[in-house]
Amino acid sequence: MTRHLETTILTYPIAGVFTISRGSRTEAQVIVCTISDRGVTGRGECVPYRRYGETLASVEEQILAQRDFVADSGSRHELVKRMKPGAARNAIDCAFWDLESKLAGVPVARALGLAAPKALTTAYTISLGEPEVMAESAAKHAGRALLKIKLGTTDDESRIKAVRAAAPNCRLILDANEGWTSDNIEHYLKVSADCGVDLIEQPLPAGNDAILGRIRHHVPLCADESAHETADLEHLRGKYDAVNIKLDKSGGLTEAVVMKREAERLGFSIMVGCMVGSSLAMAPAVLLAQDAAFVDLDGPLLLARDCEPPLRYEASLVYPPERALWG
């Protein structure tokens, strides 16, 4: 039987409003790719991201353009050479992984060499808002082990201090989403250090971050928008201390595994992150993140409802996927 590829667009309402420096959203729109073969179906989910020039329509078109390739026994290893990194390739790649696992009767975890994947401590994101609103949200979630704070305003100092006061015992990640400048970054780094911040994501715009190689890192810096695929890593040395690997950036688990291995060889700490999507999108990332220094896979926690079956979340822990979900 010829393999068959299909796509479905789904909309998940966000619990409240999710705001970063580039705007606000009340829903997450995702594309699910399915590949069927011999009565078995593999699934992968991606989240198109406008920051990278992606739309639902463009990503779905890219996925469907691979129908003949998939039907003609194409593989995920060949897919990496055929498609550029991004959401479309991620959805197909993860569907391939899921299909292979089901057909072979071998869990993806075992294929990755993970004898017994474990539950991980994930960050929980505090949306960007006025300092008192962010403090209120941080206080509500102060029992969590790790909070990720969205920043990128003209007054992030008050927001950092307000969150720290509201959640004095939490580890903190700050995510400026390219919102700081060469004029204020050294000040914000010192404020962050004084507030006991553990990590800062992408403080400056990608491609405009040379200063990071010349200033003192009072807090470790993590590349996000600057780090898409393995080829990017060499250019980040000396500027960043860690890299955030997201499947929707790398274009799937296949490339992400290679990227993670090379990042570790180059001395970077690893963060595994996500877009705002359902548990289907998080499932392969949980396996990738098994020994990561930082895990940010809270996408489903930000939704008003999740896919079925969902990942298991308990407080700050996210558990490996059951095979009914993925892999």
Side-chain angles (χ1 to χ4, degrees), residues 1-5 33-43 70 95-106 323 327:
M1 177 180 175
T2 301
R3 288 185 305 192
H4 190 64
L5 180 152
C33 172
T34 59
I35 302 176
S36 301
D37 184 10
R38 289 167 276 172
V40 176
T41 298
R43 301 188 302 155
V70 170
F96 266 132
W97 275 97
D98 191 33
L99 179 66
E100 291 172 13
S101 170
K102 290 174 178 175
L103 290 174
V106 177
R323 299 199 70 190

PDB file of all heavy atoms in Angstrom, residues 1-5 33-43 70 95-106 323 327:
ATOM      1  N   MET A   1       0.835  -1.197   0.000  1.00  0.00           N
ATOM      2  CA  MET A   1       0.000   0.000   0.000  1.00  0.00           C
ATOM      3  C   MET A   1       0.877   1.258   0.000  1.00  0.00           C
ATOM      4  O   MET A   1       1.860   1.346   0.715  1.00  0.00           O
ATOM      5  CB  MET A   1      -0.901   0.014   1.241  1.00  0.00           C
ATOM      6  CG  MET A   1      -1.767   1.250   1.376  1.00  0.00           C
ATOM      7  SD  MET A   1      -2.790   1.191   2.872  1.00  0.00           S
ATOM      8  CE  MET A   1      -3.526   2.816   2.808  1.00  0.00           C
ATOM      9  N   THR A   2       0.549   2.228  -0.843  1.00  0.00           N
ATOM     10  CA  THR A   2       1.311   3.468  -0.926  1.00  0.00           C
ATOM     11  C   THR A   2       1.079   4.320   0.313  1.00  0.00           C
ATOM     12  O   THR A   2      -0.049   4.443   0.788  1.00  0.00           O
ATOM     13  CB  THR A   2       0.893   4.270  -2.166  1.00  0.00           C
ATOM     14  OG1 THR A   2       1.115   3.475  -3.328  1.00  0.00           O
ATOM     15  CG2 THR A   2       1.694   5.555  -2.273  1.00  0.00           C
ATOM     16  N   ARG A   3       2.126   4.907   0.800  1.00  0.00           N
ATOM     17  CA  ARG A   3       1.971   5.800   1.950  1.00  0.00           C
ATOM     18  C   ARG A   3       1.223   7.057   1.540  1.00  0.00           C
ATOM     19  O   ARG A   3       1.365   7.542   0.417  1.00  0.00           O
ATOM     20  CB  ARG A   3       3.342   6.162   2.522  1.00  0.00           C
ATOM     21  CG  ARG A   3       4.004   5.010   3.247  1.00  0.00           C
ATOM     22  CD  ARG A   3       5.282   5.425   3.900  1.00  0.00           C
ATOM     23  NE  ARG A   3       6.210   6.048   2.955  1.00  0.00           N
ATOM     24  CZ  ARG A   3       7.486   6.292   3.221  1.00  0.00           C
ATOM     25  NH1 ARG A   3       7.984   5.976   4.396  1.00  0.00           N
ATOM     26  NH2 ARG A   3       8.252   6.848   2.335  1.00  0.00           N
ATOM     27  N   HIS A   4       0.477   7.599   2.494  1.00  0.00           N
ATOM     28  CA  HIS A   4      -0.386   8.743   2.192  1.00  0.00           C
ATOM     29  C   HIS A   4      -0.198   9.822   3.245  1.00  0.00           C
ATOM     30  O   HIS A   4      -0.209   9.540   4.444  1.00  0.00           O
ATOM     31  CB  HIS A   4      -1.853   8.293   2.162  1.00  0.00           C
ATOM     32  CG  HIS A   4      -2.777   9.330   1.625  1.00  0.00           C
ATOM     33  ND1 HIS A   4      -2.716   9.793   0.325  1.00  0.00           N
ATOM     34  CD2 HIS A   4      -3.791  10.020   2.225  1.00  0.00           C
ATOM     35  CE1 HIS A   4      -3.655  10.707   0.140  1.00  0.00           C
ATOM     36  NE2 HIS A   4      -4.319  10.873   1.278  1.00  0.00           N
ATOM     37  N   LEU A   5      -0.002  11.053   2.803  1.00  0.00           N
ATOM     38  CA  LEU A   5       0.203  12.198   3.695  1.00  0.00           C
ATOM     39  C   LEU A   5      -1.017  13.102   3.662  1.00  0.00           C
ATOM     40  O   LEU A   5      -1.549  13.421   2.593  1.00  0.00           O
ATOM     41  CB  LEU A   5       1.455  12.959   3.262  1.00  0.00           C
ATOM     42  CG  LEU A   5       1.854  14.210   4.063  1.00  0.00           C
ATOM     43  CD1 LEU A   5       3.364  14.423   3.983  1.00  0.00           C
ATOM     44  CD2 LEU A   5       1.153  15.474   3.551  1.00  0.00           C
ATOM     45  N   CYS A  33       0.264  16.844  10.745  1.00  0.00           N
ATOM     46  CA  CYS A  33       0.582  16.051   9.558  1.00  0.00           C
ATOM     47  C   CYS A  33       0.435  14.572   9.911  1.00  0.00           C
ATOM     48  O   CYS A  33       0.922  14.138  10.962  1.00  0.00           O
ATOM     49  CB  CYS A  33       2.008  16.334   9.103  1.00  0.00           C
ATOM     50  SG  CYS A  33       2.609  15.252   7.778  1.00  0.00           S
ATOM     51  N   THR A  34      -0.247  13.821   9.070  1.00  0.00           N
ATOM     52  CA  THR A  34      -0.358  12.371   9.271  1.00  0.00           C
ATOM     53  C   THR A  34       0.216  11.652   8.059  1.00  0.00           C
ATOM     54  O   THR A  34       0.028  12.091   6.912  1.00  0.00           O
ATOM     55  CB  THR A  34      -1.812  11.924   9.473  1.00  0.00           C
ATOM     56  OG1 THR A  34      -2.597  12.292   8.330  1.00  0.00           O
ATOM     57  CG2 THR A  34      -2.411  12.564  10.717  1.00  0.00           C
ATOM     58  N   ILE A  35       0.943  10.584   8.318  1.00  0.00           N
ATOM     59  CA  ILE A  35       1.450   9.708   7.259  1.00  0.00           C
ATOM     60  C   ILE A  35       0.941   8.302   7.558  1.00  0.00           C
ATOM     61  O   ILE A  35       1.199   7.764   8.637  1.00  0.00           O
ATOM     62  CB  ILE A  35       2.988   9.717   7.187  1.00  0.00           C
ATOM     63  CG1 ILE A  35       3.511  11.136   6.965  1.00  0.00           C
ATOM     64  CG2 ILE A  35       3.475   8.785   6.079  1.00  0.00           C
ATOM     65  CD1 ILE A  35       5.026  11.251   6.975  1.00  0.00           C
ATOM     66  N   SER A  36       0.200   7.743   6.612  1.00  0.00           N
ATOM     67  CA  SER A  36      -0.402   6.428   6.802  1.00  0.00           C
ATOM     68  C   SER A  36       0.262   5.395   5.900  1.00  0.00           C
ATOM     69  O   SER A  36       0.572   5.676   4.739  1.00  0.00           O
ATOM     70  CB  SER A  36      -1.912   6.479   6.502  1.00  0.00           C
ATOM     71  OG  SER A  36      -2.558   7.411   7.334  1.00  0.00           O
ATOM     72  N   ASP A  37       0.461   4.205   6.438  1.00  0.00           N
ATOM     73  CA  ASP A  37       1.095   3.117   5.689  1.00  0.00           C
ATOM     74  C   ASP A  37       0.651   1.788   6.286  1.00  0.00           C
ATOM     75  O   ASP A  37       0.802   1.561   7.502  1.00  0.00           O
ATOM     76  CB  ASP A  37       2.618   3.259   5.784  1.00  0.00           C
ATOM     77  CG  ASP A  37       3.375   2.227   4.958  1.00  0.00           C
ATOM     78  OD1 ASP A  37       2.735   1.512   4.164  1.00  0.00           O
ATOM     79  OD2 ASP A  37       4.603   2.135   5.120  1.00  0.00           O
ATOM     80  N   ARG A  38       0.096   0.929   5.460  1.00  0.00           N
ATOM     81  CA  ARG A  38      -0.322  -0.411   5.885  1.00  0.00           C
ATOM     82  C   ARG A  38      -1.259  -0.374   7.092  1.00  0.00           C
ATOM     83  O   ARG A  38      -1.153  -1.181   8.020  1.00  0.00           O
ATOM     84  CB  ARG A  38       0.906  -1.284   6.191  1.00  0.00           C
ATOM     85  CG  ARG A  38       1.703  -1.700   4.958  1.00  0.00           C
ATOM     86  CD  ARG A  38       3.040  -2.286   5.333  1.00  0.00           C
ATOM     87  NE  ARG A  38       4.036  -1.252   5.549  1.00  0.00           N
ATOM     88  CZ  ARG A  38       5.259  -1.488   6.033  1.00  0.00           C
ATOM     89  NH1 ARG A  38       5.620  -2.721   6.372  1.00  0.00           N
ATOM     90  NH2 ARG A  38       6.102  -0.493   6.192  1.00  0.00           N
ATOM     91  N   GLY A  39      -2.164   0.571   7.076  1.00  0.00           N
ATOM     92  CA  GLY A  39      -3.144   0.659   8.146  1.00  0.00           C
ATOM     93  C   GLY A  39      -2.647   1.302   9.418  1.00  0.00           C
ATOM     94  O   GLY A  39      -3.364   1.339  10.425  1.00  0.00           O
ATOM     95  N   VAL A  40      -1.430   1.818   9.405  1.00  0.00           N
ATOM     96  CA  VAL A  40      -0.830   2.472  10.571  1.00  0.00           C
ATOM     97  C   VAL A  40      -0.611   3.946  10.245  1.00  0.00           C
ATOM     98  O   VAL A  40      -0.216   4.290   9.132  1.00  0.00           O
ATOM     99  CB  VAL A  40       0.509   1.799  10.948  1.00  0.00           C
ATOM    100  CG1 VAL A  40       1.173   2.538  12.100  1.00  0.00           C
ATOM    101  CG2 VAL A  40       0.284   0.340  11.304  1.00  0.00           C
ATOM    102  N   THR A  41      -0.845   4.820  11.219  1.00  0.00           N
ATOM    103  CA  THR A  41      -0.718   6.259  10.994  1.00  0.00           C
ATOM    104  C   THR A  41       0.231   6.888  11.995  1.00  0.00           C
ATOM    105  O   THR A  41       0.119   6.677  13.209  1.00  0.00           O
ATOM    106  CB  THR A  41      -2.084   6.957  11.099  1.00  0.00           C
ATOM    107  OG1 THR A  41      -2.949   6.442  10.079  1.00  0.00           O
ATOM    108  CG2 THR A  41      -1.944   8.462  10.903  1.00  0.00           C
ATOM    109  N   GLY A  42       1.184   7.665  11.484  1.00  0.00           N
ATOM    110  CA  GLY A  42       2.081   8.453  12.320  1.00  0.00           C
ATOM    111  C   GLY A  42       1.667   9.915  12.273  1.00  0.00           C
ATOM    112  O   GLY A  42       1.174  10.392  11.243  1.00  0.00           O
ATOM    113  N   ARG A  43       1.872  10.638  13.392  1.00  0.00           N
ATOM    114  CA  ARG A  43       1.431  12.023  13.481  1.00  0.00           C
ATOM    115  C   ARG A  43       2.567  12.942  13.923  1.00  0.00           C
ATOM    116  O   ARG A  43       3.425  12.554  14.724  1.00  0.00           O
ATOM    117  CB  ARG A  43       0.289  12.167  14.483  1.00  0.00           C
ATOM    118  CG  ARG A  43      -0.951  11.324  14.179  1.00  0.00           C
ATOM    119  CD  ARG A  43      -2.080  11.684  15.128  1.00  0.00           C
ATOM    120  NE  ARG A  43      -1.695  11.506  16.526  1.00  0.00           N
ATOM    121  CZ  ARG A  43      -2.255  12.156  17.553  1.00  0.00           C
ATOM    122  NH1 ARG A  43      -3.191  13.057  17.330  1.00  0.00           N
ATOM    123  NH2 ARG A  43      -1.867  11.912  18.792  1.00  0.00           N
ATOM    124  N   VAL A  70       6.711  11.388  -0.080  1.00  0.00           N
ATOM    125  CA  VAL A  70       6.320  10.459   0.978  1.00  0.00           C
ATOM    126  C   VAL A  70       5.745   9.174   0.380  1.00  0.00           C
ATOM    127  O   VAL A  70       6.078   8.066   0.801  1.00  0.00           O
ATOM    128  CB  VAL A  70       5.314  11.128   1.934  1.00  0.00           C
ATOM    129  CG1 VAL A  70       4.712  10.107   2.898  1.00  0.00           C
ATOM    130  CG2 VAL A  70       5.987  12.249   2.717  1.00  0.00           C
ATOM    131  N   ALA A  95       6.034  12.977  12.125  1.00  0.00           N
ATOM    132  CA  ALA A  95       5.098  11.952  11.664  1.00  0.00           C
ATOM    133  C   ALA A  95       5.857  10.713  11.200  1.00  0.00           C
ATOM    134  O   ALA A  95       5.425   9.575  11.444  1.00  0.00           O
ATOM    135  CB  ALA A  95       4.228  12.509  10.541  1.00  0.00           C
ATOM    136  N   PHE A  96       6.983  10.916  10.531  1.00  0.00           N
ATOM    137  CA  PHE A  96       7.837   9.789  10.129  1.00  0.00           C
ATOM    138  C   PHE A  96       8.305   8.992  11.346  1.00  0.00           C
ATOM    139  O   PHE A  96       8.248   7.761  11.367  1.00  0.00           O
ATOM    140  CB  PHE A  96       9.063  10.291   9.361  1.00  0.00           C
ATOM    141  CG  PHE A  96       8.917  10.295   7.867  1.00  0.00           C
ATOM    142  CD1 PHE A  96       9.265  11.414   7.129  1.00  0.00           C
ATOM    143  CD2 PHE A  96       8.468   9.180   7.179  1.00  0.00           C
ATOM    144  CE1 PHE A  96       9.160  11.434   5.746  1.00  0.00           C
ATOM    145  CE2 PHE A  96       8.354   9.177   5.793  1.00  0.00           C
ATOM    146  CZ  PHE A  96       8.706  10.315   5.071  1.00  0.00           C
ATOM    147  N   TRP A  97       8.793   9.692  12.354  1.00  0.00           N
ATOM    148  CA  TRP A  97       9.279   9.026  13.570  1.00  0.00           C
ATOM    149  C   TRP A  97       8.165   8.188  14.205  1.00  0.00           C
ATOM    150  O   TRP A  97       8.383   7.034  14.602  1.00  0.00           O
ATOM    151  CB  TRP A  97       9.769  10.060  14.583  1.00  0.00           C
ATOM    152  CG  TRP A  97      11.177  10.523  14.423  1.00  0.00           C
ATOM    153  CD1 TRP A  97      11.590  11.652  13.785  1.00  0.00           C
ATOM    154  CD2 TRP A  97      12.373   9.895  14.919  1.00  0.00           C
ATOM    155  NE1 TRP A  97      12.961  11.764  13.850  1.00  0.00           N
ATOM    156  CE2 TRP A  97      13.466  10.705  14.550  1.00  0.00           C
ATOM    157  CE3 TRP A  97      12.610   8.739  15.645  1.00  0.00           C
ATOM    158  CZ2 TRP A  97      14.778  10.384  14.871  1.00  0.00           C
ATOM    159  CZ3 TRP A  97      13.929   8.427  15.990  1.00  0.00           C
ATOM    160  CH2 TRP A  97      14.991   9.230  15.604  1.00  0.00           C
ATOM    161  N   ASP A  98       6.989   8.777  14.320  1.00  0.00           N
ATOM    162  CA  ASP A  98       5.866   8.083  14.938  1.00  0.00           C
ATOM    163  C   ASP A  98       5.463   6.858  14.121  1.00  0.00           C
ATOM    164  O   ASP A  98       5.206   5.775  14.674  1.00  0.00           O
ATOM    165  CB  ASP A  98       4.697   9.063  15.070  1.00  0.00           C
ATOM    166  CG  ASP A  98       3.562   8.537  15.945  1.00  0.00           C
ATOM    167  OD1 ASP A  98       3.846   7.803  16.919  1.00  0.00           O
ATOM    168  OD2 ASP A  98       2.402   8.884  15.679  1.00  0.00           O
ATOM    169  N   LEU A  99       5.420   7.012  12.801  1.00  0.00           N
ATOM    170  CA  LEU A  99       5.063   5.893  11.926  1.00  0.00           C
ATOM    171  C   LEU A  99       6.093   4.776  12.023  1.00  0.00           C
ATOM    172  O   LEU A  99       5.737   3.591  12.156  1.00  0.00           O
ATOM    173  CB  LEU A  99       4.953   6.383  10.484  1.00  0.00           C
ATOM    174  CG  LEU A  99       4.602   5.317   9.444  1.00  0.00           C
ATOM    175  CD1 LEU A  99       3.195   4.785   9.671  1.00  0.00           C
ATOM    176  CD2 LEU A  99       4.750   5.888   8.024  1.00  0.00           C
ATOM    177  N   GLU A 100       7.362   5.130  11.951  1.00  0.00           N
ATOM    178  CA  GLU A 100       8.425   4.119  12.049  1.00  0.00           C
ATOM    179  C   GLU A 100       8.334   3.346  13.352  1.00  0.00           C
ATOM    180  O   GLU A 100       8.505   2.124  13.389  1.00  0.00           O
ATOM    181  CB  GLU A 100       9.804   4.795  11.956  1.00  0.00           C
ATOM    182  CG  GLU A 100      10.146   5.369  10.599  1.00  0.00           C
ATOM    183  CD  GLU A 100      11.428   6.187  10.642  1.00  0.00           C
ATOM    184  OE1 GLU A 100      12.173   6.092  11.656  1.00  0.00           O
ATOM    185  OE2 GLU A 100      11.689   6.932   9.687  1.00  0.00           O
ATOM    186  N   SER A 101       8.084   4.069  14.428  1.00  0.00           N
ATOM    187  CA  SER A 101       7.977   3.441  15.741  1.00  0.00           C
ATOM    188  C   SER A 101       6.847   2.424  15.774  1.00  0.00           C
ATOM    189  O   SER A 101       7.009   1.297  16.262  1.00  0.00           O
ATOM    190  CB  SER A 101       7.743   4.518  16.808  1.00  0.00           C
ATOM    191  OG  SER A 101       7.408   3.953  18.050  1.00  0.00           O
ATOM    192  N   LYS A 102       5.692   2.797  15.228  1.00  0.00           N
ATOM    193  CA  LYS A 102       4.535   1.910  15.244  1.00  0.00           C
ATOM    194  C   LYS A 102       4.734   0.699  14.339  1.00  0.00           C
ATOM    195  O   LYS A 102       4.376  -0.436  14.700  1.00  0.00           O
ATOM    196  CB  LYS A 102       3.286   2.690  14.841  1.00  0.00           C
ATOM    197  CG  LYS A 102       2.851   3.705  15.889  1.00  0.00           C
ATOM    198  CD  LYS A 102       1.694   4.561  15.389  1.00  0.00           C
ATOM    199  CE  LYS A 102       1.234   5.533  16.472  1.00  0.00           C
ATOM    200  NZ  LYS A 102       0.187   6.457  15.975  1.00  0.00           N
ATOM    201  N   LEU A 103       5.303   0.919  13.169  1.00  0.00           N
ATOM    202  CA  LEU A 103       5.505  -0.196  12.243  1.00  0.00           C
ATOM    203  C   LEU A 103       6.539  -1.195  12.761  1.00  0.00           C
ATOM    204  O   LEU A 103       6.399  -2.406  12.579  1.00  0.00           O
ATOM    205  CB  LEU A 103       5.937   0.326  10.872  1.00  0.00           C
ATOM    206  CG  LEU A 103       4.877   1.071  10.056  1.00  0.00           C
ATOM    207  CD1 LEU A 103       5.483   1.650   8.789  1.00  0.00           C
ATOM    208  CD2 LEU A 103       3.729   0.133   9.699  1.00  0.00           C
ATOM    209  N   ALA A 104       7.582  -0.667  13.420  1.00  0.00           N
ATOM    210  CA  ALA A 104       8.649  -1.538  13.918  1.00  0.00           C
ATOM    211  C   ALA A 104       8.356  -2.096  15.300  1.00  0.00           C
ATOM    212  O   ALA A 104       9.018  -3.051  15.748  1.00  0.00           O
ATOM    213  CB  ALA A 104       9.964  -0.765  13.956  1.00  0.00           C
ATOM    214  N   GLY A 105       7.364  -1.502  15.993  1.00  0.00           N
ATOM    215  CA  GLY A 105       7.085  -1.936  17.360  1.00  0.00           C
ATOM    216  C   GLY A 105       8.184  -1.547  18.326  1.00  0.00           C
ATOM    217  O   GLY A 105       8.366  -2.180  19.367  1.00  0.00           O
ATOM    218  N   VAL A 106       8.930  -0.502  17.989  1.00  0.00           N
ATOM    219  CA  VAL A 106      10.048  -0.032  18.812  1.00  0.00           C
ATOM    220  C   VAL A 106       9.779   1.410  19.224  1.00  0.00           C
ATOM    221  O   VAL A 106       9.678   2.290  18.362  1.00  0.00           O
ATOM    222  CB  VAL A 106      11.387  -0.109  18.047  1.00  0.00           C
ATOM    223  CG1 VAL A 106      12.522   0.460  18.907  1.00  0.00           C
ATOM    224  CG2 VAL A 106      11.691  -1.526  17.634  1.00  0.00           C
ATOM    225  N   ARG A 323       2.468   5.860  24.356  1.00  0.00           N
ATOM    226  CA  ARG A 323       2.493   5.555  22.941  1.00  0.00           C
ATOM    227  C   ARG A 323       1.183   5.893  22.243  1.00  0.00           C
ATOM    228  O   ARG A 323       1.144   6.088  21.018  1.00  0.00           O
ATOM    229  CB  ARG A 323       2.872   4.087  22.720  1.00  0.00           C
ATOM    230  CG  ARG A 323       4.274   3.765  23.283  1.00  0.00           C
ATOM    231  CD  ARG A 323       4.834   2.514  22.680  1.00  0.00           C
ATOM    232  NE  ARG A 323       5.184   2.703  21.277  1.00  0.00           N
ATOM    233  CZ  ARG A 323       5.516   1.695  20.474  1.00  0.00           C
ATOM    234  NH1 ARG A 323       5.521   0.467  20.915  1.00  0.00           N
ATOM    235  NH2 ARG A 323       5.833   1.937  19.215  1.00  0.00           N
ATOM    236  N   GLY A 327       4.917   8.186  19.452  1.00  0.00           N
ATOM    237  CA  GLY A 327       6.201   7.508  19.618  1.00  0.00           C
ATOM    238  C   GLY A 327       6.215   6.216  20.355  1.00  0.00           C
ATOM    239  O   GLY A 327       7.238   5.780  20.854  1.00  0.00           O
TER     240      GLY A 327
END
